[in-house]
Amino acid sequence: MKRIIFVFCVLFSTNLSYSQDIVLEIGEWPPYTTNSKNGLATELVIAACNSVGLKYIISNVPWLRAEKNVEAGLAFATFPYTINEERKSKYLFSDPIFKSTNLIIYNNQNMKININSINSINAFKYYKVGTTTGSESIIKPLRNIGAEVETTETIDLSMKKLQSGRIDFIIEDSLVIKDLLKRYQDQRIVLINKKIIDLDREYCIMVTKNSTNSLDYLERINKGIKLIHNSGEYQKIVSKY
């Protein structure tokens, strides 16, 4: 009898845990994530969860805290993140939620910059480059060639550094750069209108390994991603941005 009661309690507690809202922790990376439920990535993840009846709570925290909390199992997931070998050892990943490329901006009043000499990634080793914390697909290639990279928790902080001359370039996701230029409208800050660095990449939901339900939830999220693609909801959200 005691054994039956014990098994029942285990099953009950497992089901209770499985029915709880999953915690999604994100920082600010407009237009993909913001301090509200707006943002391209946020809307796509919400739509995927809703399509499979997955309950969620979205919490806004600094990016590094989100990564640590997901690694420790204090949060279920964060997004959007690219996959690399180091992250694969710590986290699980969903199917891609969107693809991206990069753009480069600089302050045209910065007399240190010889824009005609910027023809490859190697040219940036002589400059300071700003980007957002967690943008490893940009940070690692630049640091590998000896460039000085300064990261900030929000891209707006990098913009202020660019305006004041504390950094020479910002290299970031194309939509992030376009949104930044739209919000600041500083005529000194301009795009490099040529393809210099090919850093096309796919972004996913980065999920904790420290939960007994991680794989089950991940399977449901991947199903949700497929459902919103097939229903046309995915393209409807993307077209807004």
Side-chain angles (χ1 to χ4, degrees), residues 102-136:
N102 65 277
L103 289 173
I104 304 166
I105 56 176
Y106 71 104
N107 187 330
N108 63 14
Q109 301 300 305
N110 187 340
M111 302 309 294
K112 294 187 298 181
I113 297 174
N114 177 4
I115 202 63
N116 294 321
S117 69
I118 308 297
N119 295 310
S120 71
I121 189 171
N122 290 316
F124 292 100
K125 71 186 295 183
Y126 305 108
Y127 298 100
K128 290 184 179 180
V129 180
T131 194
T132 313
T133 299
S135 298
E136 294 300 318

Side-chain angles (χ1 to χ4, degrees), residues 16 32 62 70 84 93 157 159 192 200 225:
L16 181 63
Y32 290 107
V70 172
N84 59 39
F93 288 88
L157 293 175
M159 173 60 99
I192 294 182
D200 292 357
I225 292 170

Side-chain angles (χ1 to χ4, degrees), residues 11-127:
L11 291 173
F12 179 79
S13 63
T14 301
N15 289 334
L16 181 63
S17 174
Y18 191 76
S19 67
Q20 289 176 345
D21 296 349
I22 59 172
V23 176
L24 307 172
E25 292 193 344
I26 55 173
E28 286 192 59
W29 196 44
Y32 290 107
T33 61
T34 66
N35 58 7
S36 68
K37 290 186 179 180
N38 296 322
L40 174 56
T42 306
E43 289 195 41
L44 291 173
V45 172
I46 286 174
C49 288
N50 287 342
S51 70
V52 291
L54 197 55
K55 297 179 181 179
Y56 57 86
I57 295 171
I58 295 178
S59 178
N60 294 98
V61 301
W63 286 114
L64 288 177
R65 188 189 305 172
E67 291 179 25
K68 290 177 181 178
N69 285 348
V70 172
E71 183 180 358
L74 300 176
F76 172 70
T78 184
F79 61 85
Y81 274 82
T82 56
I83 302 174
N84 59 39
E85 290 304 314
E86 181 182 353
R87 288 174 178 166
K88 281 169 67 176
S89 69
K90 299 178 181 178
Y91 309 98
L92 301 171
F93 288 88
S94 72
D95 292 340
I97 49 176
F98 64 87
K99 295 181 180 181
S100 172
T101 187
N102 65 277
L103 289 173
I104 304 166
I105 56 176
Y106 71 104
N107 187 330
N108 63 14
Q109 301 300 305
N110 187 340
M111 302 309 294
K112 294 187 298 181
I113 297 174
N114 177 4
I115 202 63
N116 294 321
S117 69
I118 308 297
N119 295 310
S120 71
I121 189 171
N122 290 316
F124 292 100
K125 71 186 295 183
Y126 305 108
Y127 298 100

